Amino acid sequence: LTFDGPSPFDGVFTGHTSGVYVLAISSDGSTLYSGSGDDTVRKIQTSDMTQVGSNFTGHVNDVFSLTLSSSPS
């Protein structure tokens, strides 16, 4: 990722109980998704780096990949 000016992602992410293996960012940059060894995916609003809703759960193993798809307007 590259930014004009300071990175909006400076700091420590909290919430996962194991290592984060993958990050995906929405095409408009407003949402970041993180997949972890705790078998969850988190959705984070980049404007203030807060979690949106609950963790996506139900995975039976670590989350190593994420794919985002944009919906037609």
Side-chain angles (χ1 to χ4, degrees), residues 43-65:
K43 180 179 178 182
I44 301 162
Q45 181 175 296
T46 59
S47 61
D48 59 5
M49 299 311 287
T50 58
Q51 183 168 336
V52 177
S54 300
N55 289 353
F56 296 96
T57 60
H59 305 281
V60 295
N61 279 310
D62 302 351
V63 179
F64 288 108
S65 66

Side-chain angles (χ1 to χ4, degrees), residues 1 9 13 16 20-36 40-46 49-56 59 63-70:
L1 297 172
F9 305 115
F13 295 102
H16 283 296
V20 172
Y21 297 124
V22 62
L23 296 173
I25 193 161
S26 62
S27 60
D28 65 2
S30 66
T31 309
L32 178 72
Y33 297 84
S34 59
S36 172
T40 67
V41 173
R42 297 179 70 223
K43 180 179 178 182
I44 301 162
Q45 181 175 296
T46 59
M49 299 311 287
T50 58
Q51 183 168 336
V52 177
S54 300
N55 289 353
F56 296 96
H59 305 281
V63 179
F64 288 108
S65 66
L66 294 169
T67 302
L68 303 180
S69 175
S70 58

